[in-house]
Amino acid sequence: MTKLSSNALSRPSLIALASALLAVSTTPALALTGTDDVAEESDDNVIIVTAQKFEQKSTDVPITISANSGKRLKELGVSDLDELSNYVPGLNIQEQSANNPGIVIRGITSDSGSAQQAARVTLYYNGVDISRSRGSYQDIYDVDRIEVIKGPQATLFGTASAVGAISIISNKPEAGFSGELSGSYGNFNQYSVAGHVNAGSDTIAGRVAFAYKKRDGYVTNLAPNQDDLNGQNQLGVRGSLRFTPSDTFNADLIVTYDRQRNPGTAFISGTLPTSAGPADPFGAADLRGSPFSAAVLGDARLGLTRDVYDANLTMNWDIADDWTITMVNGFRKFNSNEVFDADGSAAYFLEFAEDANGEQGSHETRFAYTSDTFRGSFGWNLFREDSNQRVPFSTDEVTYFQCLAGIVVPGVPCVDANGVPAGDAITALTNGAVGAVPYQAVFENLGKNDSYSVFADGTWIPTPSLEMTAGVRVLIEKRRSGYRATAPGSFFTGSPPFPLTDTAGQTFRTEDSFSAILPRFNILYRFSDDINGFATVSKGRRSATVNAGATATATGPVGNFTDIAPEIVWNYEVGLKGAVGPVSGSLGVYYQTYENFQVSVNDPANPGTSITRSAGSATNFGVEAEVNIRAADWLNLFANIGFIDGGIANDPENGNLAGARFRLQPEVQAAGGFTVDYPINDSTRLFATPSVTYRSRVYFEAPNSSLISQPGVTLVNLRAGVSFADEQFEIAGFARNLTNKNYLLDAGNTGGGFGIPTFIPAEPRFYGIQASAKF
């Protein structure tokens, strides 16, 4: 949901279902004696992960984790993170655009674009935090695996992981020469080209991977000066170099460039018609933008221009038989400008851009020790980010006041039944005497945040059946915020039509420092060779928001500074994991309590902008279950389900937010399907993965409104084809949203702050064909 910060089933039945899934879920006991032992005992149903910063089987991690290999992503036809979230219980990812991803773990969203606010969900890319919202989107191509770690994980993934973390690990260079090239074509003129080339020796190896994706917009835009909406045009290129001069040292250098040139987002008005008929979120749009868009908003067309540069250097030393040192250094820079039509109509009314820029730098040193009875690590982390969010605004004052209050020419609608906007109608009625009166304004929030932390994490293994873990991160952070705005007076009223305080060329700044202690405690118990149980208690924290704004006074503008207290979450969780024979699975039950739960709400004093406020206390109860069954060598069945009963406490002191469910939080989320990989002969295989996903109603805002929500959605997806010449070549067909279900991606948005909510339709049926070759 684009919000512009001017400051920045019944429960018993679901539990029964989860228990039934657990009945077929068991896990082999494995005492970790080294990486080689782990790799030798892995299989297709259990993936090796590094969630605890060393390699182990996912079933031996005493926290809830969902991991998918690159091979599995390909089977499912997943090429983006939002598609993956359909198959991970407790995870939802909403992508309005690559500039505005909403990442939800267990019903808690992290999507603020304000430079002054912190993330709740850590995105890790090859071991480096990339969580700043406008810089966090990362295309997934040539990946080894993606791990989704749920619950607060401060000791492992830093302070931004207040509710969980997503870790993307790309394929690393290896000895020898290999490569792959693939291409696809589908409806909406969608096509893609992707591949990689790998070459090297045991000492030094390199890998280059890329992906180019392009698709026309799936929402028709009637405006003659604009492209169709919700399309795609992006390129990602990654170069990796691995240096292994000895058995005790290796270094990985990874450099990535990602670029988007996507057409505009379809913010479609729920009330204002078009020339094609009444307002329809699933019909054609008429978004014309601003005639002064190039000069005021930075681009003549609606859409996104975004560039991301990322560099990572990771070094590992085995300094003794049981000791290793790992150093991870990262730098990420992003700049983006997204031009959008916030009123969702043909009217020259609410035309905005969001110009976001930022840099992030980080360093972590971790010392690790491993023996038969103890495994532990300690170290430090330094993280700095410097970012800003600049929001220019363009309108025609005649249209603005007519659409907002109908006061220029009484009786003229903002957009009439024929799709004619008020500005055009008034010009015609007055024979040109009243024309457009252009107006522009801009506001900008700035954030510079430094965090310094030390951490320690240890696991005692007194017997082969028991592991007890305790860890803590001690944090000191300094947060600096700034605000400036230019908002000239209206031609008609003398006051800014868009309610901003002009800072008269000044930048108002404030800063504050904070500290925190964030612990975690885990127990893993091996009930048998087939069943592991775990329990965990952990504390998470979303950093305080240091708001910087401005207020008008009789003597001029003054700074308006407020702090929103840190959001604190305690997570309590128990679960079982298992894998016996062809069956593997997991079951987890969690309960979370929140203090000072932070929400972004429409600012009643400044329509179209949002403010951060504390919604008081909140709770979250949930159940998650996953199961995989290898029914035959050529057949694998899978299913998962997540149930969440959470929301803001129904206490009077929480005001109109009392009792509200969290934004983008479904009560039930489930997926199921199977994978066939059947040999036709010695060199040819037939494969298919049909799947069904379900998500119950979600609310797009708090307070909740059924009008600003999406009822439950069931989607059917399919990927199938044939591989031949010993899997050297492959031809496949794919379809997503096979039944062409109409549903909403988001609702409310910036227009909602002006009383005219807009709606973004989600993807329709996509289908096509893909071919690939390995060499």
Side-chain angles (χ1 to χ4, degrees):
M1 174 176 58
T2 294
K3 280 196 173 183
L4 304 174
S5 174
S6 62
N7 308 319
L9 293 164
S10 71
R11 185 183 303 180
S13 63
L14 286 166
I15 294 175
L17 176 58
S19 300
L21 286 172
L22 179 63
V24 293
S25 304
T26 45
T27 305
L30 174 64
L32 292 180
T33 56
T35 300
D36 293 338
D37 297 332
V38 175
E40 288 172 4
E41 296 192 40
S42 66
D43 56 45
D44 289 340
N45 272 9
V46 179
I47 190 170
I48 303 303
V49 298
T50 53
Q52 296 196 110
K53 303 303 182 179
F54 63 94
E55 291 186 330
Q56 62 183 144
K57 297 174 74 173
S58 58
T59 47
D60 285 316
V61 181
I63 52 180
T64 302
I65 178 173
S66 298
N68 285 273
S69 66
K71 175 185 176 182
R72 185 63 180 151
L73 298 178
K74 183 177 180 180
E75 290 174 346
L76 291 169
V78 167
S79 61
D80 218 332
L81 279 177
D82 64 331
E83 299 164 13
L84 173 63
S85 69
N86 291 325
Y87 301 95
V88 177
L91 174 67
N92 276 284
I93 297 178
Q94 176 213 65
E95 288 182 6
Q96 279 192 5
S97 73
N99 197 48
N100 195 7
I103 301 168
V104 187
I105 290 185
R106 291 178 169 172
I108 309 299
T109 311
S110 186
D111 62 355
S112 173
S114 170
Q116 300 174 8
Q117 290 185 323
R120 285 189 177 109
V121 177
T122 295
L123 264 77
Y124 258 58
Y125 178 53
N126 289 315
V128 174
D129 186 342
I130 61 169
S131 300
R132 171 56 55 195
S133 173
R134 291 342 185 217
S136 64
Y137 174 85
Q138 182 66 52
D139 193 12
I140 54 174
Y141 55 93
D142 195 37
V143 297
D144 178 76
R145 65 188 184 278
I146 299 176
E147 303 173 13
V148 181
I149 305 98
K150 303 162 192 175
Q153 304 297 338
T155 65
L156 299 174
F157 289 94
T159 56
S161 59
V163 297
I166 300 174
S167 180
I168 305 169
I169 298 97
S170 64
N171 281 317
K172 302 300 189 295
E174 56 190 12
F177 179 81
S178 63
E180 183 173 3
L181 183 65
S182 67
S184 70
Y185 184 78
N187 62 333
F188 294 100
N189 197 33
Q190 60 174 309
Y191 61 89
S192 68
V193 182
H196 74 268
V197 176
N198 181 100
S201 66
D202 290 334
T203 301
I204 188 166
R207 190 181 188 100
V208 176
F210 75 97
Y212 178 67
K213 303 173 183 177
K214 193 174 188 304
R215 187 194 69 237
D216 292 344
Y218 59 79
V219 175
T220 299
N221 192 354
L222 301 173
N225 63 324
Q226 300 290 343
D227 298 320
D228 288 340
L229 306 164
N230 288 12
Q232 185 180 54
N233 182 349
Q234 65 181 45
L235 169 69
V237 181
R238 178 173 57 243
S240 307
L241 185 67
R242 166 161 284 192
F243 180 51
T244 313
S246 69
D247 294 338
T248 60
F249 175 84
N250 68 70
D252 286 296
L253 175 64
I254 304 172
V255 179
T256 306
Y257 170 67
D258 273 285
R259 185 201 77 183
Q260 286 79 33
R261 300 294 186 266
N262 299 342
T265 299
F267 293 102
I268 302 177
S269 175
T271 55
L272 303 177
T274 71
S275 59
D280 180 2
F282 303 106
D286 191 351
L287 308 188
R288 304 180 186 181
S290 165
F292 300 95
S293 188
V296 178
L297 305 182
D299 201 317
R301 292 184 177 272
L302 302 175
L304 171 64
T305 299
R306 178 177 180 267
D307 296 274
V308 180
Y309 309 86
D310 187 279
N312 171 288
L313 176 62
T314 300
M315 296 173 285
N316 295 282
W317 291 272
D318 293 332
I319 57 175
D321 288 343
D322 300 321
W323 284 92
T324 62
I325 300 176
T326 300
M327 291 186 178
V328 183
N329 307 276
F331 174 78
R332 191 173 182 89
K333 180 178 181 179
F334 67 91
N335 51 72
S336 65
N337 188 55
E338 184 166 19
V339 180
F340 60 99
D341 191 321
D343 57 82
S345 77
Y348 177 23
F349 180 20
L350 305 174
E351 318 304 330
F352 288 94
E354 182 185 4
D355 181 8
N357 300 272
E359 294 182 355
Q360 297 172 321
S362 64
H363 168 81
E364 179 177 290
T365 294
R366 184 182 293 264
F367 295 83
Y369 172 81
T370 302
S371 72
D372 292 338
T373 58
F374 184 82
R375 181 176 63 242
S377 64
F378 66 91
W380 58 84
N381 179 274
L382 312 175
F383 182 83
R384 161 169 282 198
E385 65 173 355
D386 188 351
S387 61
N388 66 284
Q389 180 194 43
R390 178 180 172 272
V391 181
F393 168 63
S394 177
T395 193
D396 160 33
E397 290 194 38
V398 173
T399 300
Y400 183 88
F401 288 114
Q402 188 67 25
C403 288
L404 205 61
I407 59 175
V408 180
V409 177
V412 176
C414 184
V415 178
D416 71 17
N418 296 314
V420 178
D424 293 354
I426 291 173
T427 298
L429 282 172
T430 62
N431 293 318
V434 179
V437 181
Y439 177 87
Q440 66 184 72
V442 63
F443 62 82
E444 184 174 5
N445 59 70
L446 306 97
K448 183 177 291 187
N449 306 308
D450 298 325
S451 69
Y452 313 90
S453 62
V454 294
F455 56 85
D457 204 81
T459 299
W460 180 39
I461 312 170
T463 73
S465 299
L466 180 65
E467 295 185 7
M468 295 184 289
T469 299
V472 65
R473 183 180 292 266
V474 179
L475 165 74
I476 298 174
E477 62 179 357
K478 184 175 183 179
R479 305 185 68 83
R480 289 160 284 187
S481 298
Y483 176 79
R484 54 180 171 245
T486 301
S490 163
F491 173 81
F492 293 110
T493 68
S495 300
F498 187 65
L500 290 172
T501 298
D502 193 310
T503 61
Q506 305 172 78
T507 299
F508 295 110
R509 301 182 186 274
T510 187
E511 63 180 57
D512 208 344
S513 296
F514 308 90
S515 61
I517 298 175
L518 303 172
R520 77 161 181 152
F521 307 94
N522 296 334
I523 294 176
L524 178 73
Y525 186 76
R526 308 182 193 282
F527 292 103
S528 70
D529 289 343
D530 299 321
I531 300 175
N532 294 344
F534 69 91
T536 181
V537 177
S538 55
K539 181 182 180 181
R541 172 184 179 274
R542 187 188 196 189
S543 296
T545 298
V546 180
N547 275 330
T551 301
T553 70
T555 58
V558 297
N560 180 20
F561 308 125
T562 57
D563 282 3
I564 307 299
E567 178 182 292
I568 304 299
V569 55
W570 280 96
N571 180 73
Y572 310 91
E573 192 166 349
V574 295
L576 294 172
K577 299 183 178 185
V580 57
V583 183
S584 64
S586 65
L587 170 66
V589 180
Y590 61 89
Y591 182 72
Q592 297 170 326
T593 63
Y594 288 85
E595 299 176 14
N596 300 316
F597 187 78
Q598 297 179 15
V599 295
S600 294
V601 298
N602 287 321
D603 184 355
N606 297 289
T609 68
S610 69
I611 56 174
T612 301
R613 56 167 286 196
S614 172
S617 58
T619 59
N620 222 8
F621 168 81
V623 180
E624 296 167 351
E626 297 182 80
V627 64
N628 287 273
I629 304 173
R630 177 68 68 178
D633 289 342
W634 51 270
L635 177 63
N636 184 71
L637 295 84
F638 62 91
N640 62 65
I641 188 170
F643 166 75
I644 304 174
D645 181 15
I648 298 167
N650 195 15
D651 296 331
E653 57 264 33
N654 292 337
N656 65 346
L657 296 173
R661 288 185 67 85
F662 302 131
R663 163 171 154 76
L664 298 176
Q665 179 197 57
E667 184 177 27
V668 179
Q669 180 181 350
F674 60 88
T675 295
V676 171
D677 190 3
Y678 189 80
I680 299 175
N681 55 44
D682 290 343
S683 63
T684 306
R685 306 186 70 88
L686 181 70
F687 58 85
T689 302
S691 63
V692 178
T693 67
Y694 172 75
R695 187 187 69 182
S696 64
R697 181 184 294 272
V698 296
Y699 294 97
F700 296 119
E701 292 183 348
N704 301 152
S705 167
S706 60
L707 299 177
I708 309 297
S709 71
Q710 170 58 53
V713 176
T714 300
L715 302 177
V716 179
N717 305 308
L718 173 66
R719 185 177 186 271
V722 61
S723 66
F724 50 96
D726 293 326
E727 300 185 359
Q728 185 176 358
F729 302 100
E730 179 180 289
I731 298 176
F734 62 86
R736 299 201 303 271
N737 190 4
L738 188 60
T739 61
N740 203 27
K741 173 72 175 179
N742 283 336
Y743 67 104
L744 294 174
L745 183 65
D746 207 346
N749 306 300
T750 301
F754 291 85
I756 50 169
T758 58
F759 299 82
I760 305 175
E763 295 178 349
R765 177 170 50 227
F766 287 154
Y767 58 88
I769 189 169
Q770 183 180 51
S772 62
K774 298 178 182 178
F775 54 89

